[in-house]
């Protein structure tokens, strides 16, 4: 094997050292390509001539690996020789790293050069060259982030005209940013040591934080209109980042890095070995990510930055829900002050029952906001928004409309109609049982429309419960069971009694 390599080494040093046109710092692909061609050209000869000889002699050596190791050694020496000059030119060293990555991938994937064998990446993960590599990656990434966020189409979805693809409504800059991070991952994934991979992971976390800060700055310009197109696009982008990070957190590669990170932290606490020299960071090939003895699922490598993005997403959703709720409240004054106590009786209302005139404005505003946000937000985000909005409206109607008024039998019927035939159906487009999101309001309507005799009996039971509390020796009644028989499960006995006391048609002293 040495005899085969001697003339090739001589040719390599002749062409790629000294004052030769082929020895050019900005053309590292020349020597990488030359070595690959030698590997390819000798493959057939080694298989047909060298392998049989070794097999006949009983020598268990893979001649192809031995041949490639000798040539890779030439490449590693060449890189080490060129590094001092390359360090002064970002573009040249970046180009050399790109070519080295492609070369390493080619010999390992195409020619089965073992991952345990030394490669050209080994010389790039130490000393000044590795620091320079990290600096260049960060510098170029920041420049790309600047370009993404300043693009006129930064917050537009690339797939807005393709309904099936555009479910998440991902803005261009968010998708481009996550693609950038994915590209960085692909570049450092083949690095031979977890220590060097963790350095790149730290860079990715820094870029994620940088992007989040930039997004917050942009978002603040649009907080005055949290139901606007720009605000919604930013919210969609933040949600997309969270979802992608959640998926990445479950990948074996990042689970392994999390395990290595935990081992590094343990070693740091014990003041043992440094990150660079630690052999315990190496993982066995049969590493099991589901091994219950490895506390790997308690946290992930993206846990901290994900929490920040989730916090931003929740805050933006909160602003959006609050804005819509306040707008609805602003159009609800006449409905809150409606004369529920003097409406026509239930019998007189039967022929003319329809939506309260005072509720029209409020429900129109609600319907408009729901239609707008369904169009602007991704499906998962809109689901969260309408559920939060339903929760707010449920509390608002219970406290500001029902508990703040008195009702005759016609008033109870009218409120029941407004809720069950108008409010609930507005949310019926998003869920088959919208009433489940208005449990308190639904149950209050049941109490307000109970037949007078049943309402009186129920009120007596509730009052008896109060007496039981005062006198422990009195006969006890299962009040919750009684309420559940009436269809009331969510309201407390105290609130149920208060609602019954708002009915003008039942008076018990």
């Amino acid at each position: 094997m040495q005899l085969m390599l001697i003339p090739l080494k001589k040719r390599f040093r002749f062409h790629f050292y000294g004052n030769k046109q082929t020895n050019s710092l900005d053309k590292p692909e020349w020597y990488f390509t030359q070595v690959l061609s030698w590997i390819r050209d000798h493959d057939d000869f080694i298989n047909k001539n060298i392998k049989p000889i070794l097999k006949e002699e009983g020598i268990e050596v893979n001649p192809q690996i031995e041949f490639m190791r000798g040539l890779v050694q030439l490449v590693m020496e060449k890189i080490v020789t060129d590094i001092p000059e390359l360090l002064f030119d970002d573009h040249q060293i970046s180009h050399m790293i790109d070519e080295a990555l492609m070369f390493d991938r080619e010999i390992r994937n195409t020619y089965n050069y073992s991952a345990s064998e030394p490669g050209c990446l080994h010389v790039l993960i130490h000393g000044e060259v590795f620091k320079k590599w990290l600096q260049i990656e960060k510098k170029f990434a920041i420049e790309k982030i600047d370009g993404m966020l300043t693009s006129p189409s930064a917050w537009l979805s690339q797939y807005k005209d393709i309904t099936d693809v555009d479910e998440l409504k991902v803005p261009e800059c968010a998708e481009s940013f996550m693609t950038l991070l994915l590209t960085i991952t692909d570049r450092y994934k083949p690095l031979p040591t977890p220590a060097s991979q963790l350095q790149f992971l730290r860079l990715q976390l820094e870029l994620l934080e940088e992007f989040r800060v930039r997004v917050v700055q942009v978002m603040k310009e649009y907080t005055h209109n949290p139901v606007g197109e720009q605000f919604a696009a930013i919210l969609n982008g933040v949600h997309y980042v969270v979802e992608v990070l959640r998926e990445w957190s479950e990948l074996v590669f990042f689970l392994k890095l999390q395990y290595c990170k935990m081992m590094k932290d343990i070693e740091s606490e014990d003041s043992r070995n440094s990150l660079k020299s630690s052999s315990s960071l190496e993982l066995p090939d049969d590493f099991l990510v589901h091994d219950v003895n490895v506390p790997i699922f308690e946290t992930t490598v993206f846990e901290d930055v994900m929490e920040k993005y989730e916090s931003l997403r929740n805050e933006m959703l909160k602003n959006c829900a609050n804005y819509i709720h306040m707008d609805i409240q602003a159009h609800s004054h006449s409905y809150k002050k409606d004369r529920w106590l003097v409406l026509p009786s239930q019998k007189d209302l039967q022929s003319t029952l329809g939506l309260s005139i005072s509720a029209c404005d409020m429900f129109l505003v609600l319907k408009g906001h729901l239609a707008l946000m369904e169009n602007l937000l991704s499906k998962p985000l809109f689901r969260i928004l309408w559920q939060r909005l339903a929760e707010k409206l449920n509390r608002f109607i219970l406290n500001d409309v029902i508990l703040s008024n008195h009702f005759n039998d016609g008033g109870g019927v009218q409120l029941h109609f407004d809720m069950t035939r108008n409010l609930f159906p507005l949310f019926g487009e998003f869920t088959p049982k919208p009433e489940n999101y208005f449990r308190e309001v639904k149950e209050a309507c049941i109490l307000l429309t109970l037949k007078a005799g049943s309402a009186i009996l129920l009120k007596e039971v509730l009052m008896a419960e109060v007496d039981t509390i005062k006198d422990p020796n009195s006969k006890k009644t299962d009040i919750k069971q009684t309420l559940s028989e009436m269809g009331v499960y969510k309201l407390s006995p105290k609130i149920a009694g208060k609602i019954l006391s708002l009915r003008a048609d039942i008076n018990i002293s």
Side-chain angles (χ1 to χ4, degrees), residues 99-109 119-121 190:
E99 292 295 330
L101 287 167
M102 287 191 287
F103 174 80
D104 189 78
R105 182 167 58 247
E106 179 75 11
I107 62 169
R108 297 194 191 278
N109 295 343
C120 57
L121 299 185

Side-chain angles (χ1 to χ4, degrees), residues 36-80:
L36 284 173
S37 68
W38 284 338
I39 293 173
R40 182 187 66 247
D41 295 343
H42 287 76
D43 190 59
D44 190 53
F45 175 79
I46 291 172
N47 275 320
K48 289 182 178 179
N49 298 281
I50 307 298
K51 260 190 177 181
I53 296 172
L54 294 175
K55 188 175 181 180
E56 186 178 326
E57 295 295 325
I59 301 173
E60 296 183 0
V61 171
N62 188 327
Q64 290 156 310
I65 297 296
E66 296 298 316
F67 181 69
M68 283 190 283
R69 187 191 296 125
L71 292 177
V72 168
Q73 185 68 34
L74 280 176
V75 172
M76 294 170 69
E77 291 171 359
K78 172 61 177 172
I79 293 173
V80 170

Side-chain angles (χ1 to χ4, degrees), residues 12 15-16 21-36 74-76 78-80 82-83 86 89-104 120 124:
F12 187 91
H15 287 292
F16 303 115
Q21 286 187 342
T22 46
N23 180 29
S24 174
L25 287 176
D26 58 354
K27 295 291 182 181
E29 61 268 30
W30 286 350
Y31 62 81
F32 284 121
T33 304
Q34 181 63 70
V35 169
L36 284 173
L74 280 176
V75 172
M76 294 170 69
K78 172 61 177 172
I79 293 173
V80 170
D82 288 348
I83 279 175
L86 289 171
D89 191 309
D90 288 355
H91 287 285
Q92 284 188 354
I93 194 168
S94 177
H95 179 49
M96 185 273 290
I97 291 170
D98 289 342
E99 292 295 330
L101 287 167
M102 287 191 287
F103 174 80
D104 189 78
C120 57
L124 297 178

Side-chain angles (χ1 to χ4, degrees), residues 186-458:
D186 291 339
R187 284 166 66 81
Y188 78 80
K189 190 179 284 188
L191 294 184
T193 65
S196 55
Q197 292 172 338
L198 284 172
Q199 294 275 13
F200 268 93
L201 175 63
R202 188 178 296 116
L203 169 62
Q204 286 180 307
L205 295 176
E206 290 176 8
L207 294 175
L208 278 162
E209 178 61 13
E210 176 72 18
F211 187 74
R212 187 190 67 84
V213 171
R214 302 279 191 94
V215 168
V216 169
Q217 292 172 348
V218 176
M219 181 268 294
K220 286 180 178 178
E221 298 177 15
Y222 299 96
T223 48
H224 64 282
N225 184 23
V227 293
E229 188 173 342
Q230 198 78 0
F231 192 90
I234 297 169
L235 181 51
N236 287 332
V238 172
H239 176 72
Y240 176 71
V241 172
V242 170
E243 292 306 303
V244 172
L245 291 180
R246 183 171 286 113
E247 288 180 12
W248 288 359
S249 297
E250 297 173 0
L251 297 177
V252 173
F253 175 70
F254 288 112
L255 289 172
K256 286 182 177 182
L257 283 186
Q258 173 62 14
Y259 177 76
C260 293
K261 185 175 182 294
M262 291 193 308
M263 293 301 100
K264 167 189 172 282
D265 293 340
I266 292 171
E267 289 181 358
S268 297
E269 290 175 7
D270 295 343
S271 301
R272 291 180 190 164
N273 302 316
S274 68
L275 177 63
K276 289 183 180 179
S277 62
S278 173
S279 60
S280 65
L281 289 185
E282 300 294 340
L283 290 168
D285 293 335
D286 59 349
F287 174 85
L288 297 176
V289 296
H290 297 294
D291 188 343
V292 294
N293 296 319
V294 181
I296 218 164
F297 298 105
E298 294 179 5
T299 184
T300 71
V301 290
F302 298 111
E303 191 76 22
D304 293 339
V305 73
M306 271 179 63
E307 285 182 2
K308 291 181 179 180
Y309 274 91
E310 286 174 342
S311 176
L312 175 59
R313 179 185 63 183
N314 292 336
E315 186 65 28
M316 293 180 73
L317 276 169
K318 180 182 175 183
N319 290 343
C320 190
N322 286 343
Y323 181 91
I324 295 173
H325 182 57
M326 289 175 64
D327 197 18
I328 293 168
Q329 281 184 308
H331 291 82
S332 68
H333 294 303
S334 58
Y335 192 66
K336 289 192 296 183
K337 302 298 181 183
D338 216 336
R339 302 175 67 188
W340 303 101
L341 191 57
V342 294
L343 287 179
S345 66
Q346 180 177 353
K347 186 182 294 185
D348 296 335
L349 272 177
Q350 291 299 330
S351 58
T352 59
L353 194 59
L355 176 62
S356 298
I357 295 175
S358 57
C360 291
D361 196 21
M362 177 176 71
F363 286 175
L364 277 173
V365 169
L366 172 60
K367 184 178 181 180
H369 280 302
L370 288 173
L372 176 64
M373 299 317 294
E374 183 182 22
N375 183 52
L376 292 179
L377 291 180
S378 67
K379 286 186 178 181
L381 283 176
F382 180 67
R383 188 183 307 116
I384 297 171
L385 178 65
W386 74 252
Q387 289 177 357
R388 288 190 182 183
L389 196 55
E391 182 184 347
K392 287 178 175 292
L393 286 173
N394 180 55
R395 289 198 304 266
F396 167 68
I397 292 170
L398 178 66
N399 295 323
D400 290 43
V401 178
I402 297 173
L403 293 177
S404 300
N405 286 286
H406 287 78
F407 299 81
N408 63 5
D409 62 339
V413 170
Q414 181 63 61
L415 180 74
H416 184 274
F417 184 86
D418 291 344
M419 298 298 107
T420 59
R421 301 290 294 277
N422 293 278
L423 176 62
F424 298 172
L426 285 177
F427 292 86
E429 296 180 31
F430 322 123
T431 176
K433 292 189 176 181
E435 63 274 11
N436 289 344
Y437 296 89
F438 296 89
R439 297 287 291 277
E440 285 88 346
V441 169
K442 177 188 173 184
E443 292 176 5
C445 289
I446 291 173
L447 294 174
L448 290 174
T449 54
L450 269 179
K451 289 184 178 180
S454 300
I456 291 171
L457 287 173
L458 180 58

Side-chain angles (χ1 to χ4, degrees), residues 462 465 479-480 483 490-499:
L462 290 169
E465 177 71 9
I479 189 63
K480 288 191 175 180
L483 285 171
K490 191 77 172 174
L491 291 175
S492 66
K494 182 179 178 182
I495 297 296
K498 188 172 182 180
I499 290 171

Side-chain angles (χ1 to χ4, degrees), residues 456 458-468 479 508-509:
I456 291 171
L458 180 58
K459 190 169 184 183
E460 286 177 345
V461 171
L462 290 169
M463 292 178 69
E465 177 71 9
V466 176
D467 294 337
T468 302
I479 189 63
I508 299 176
S509 59

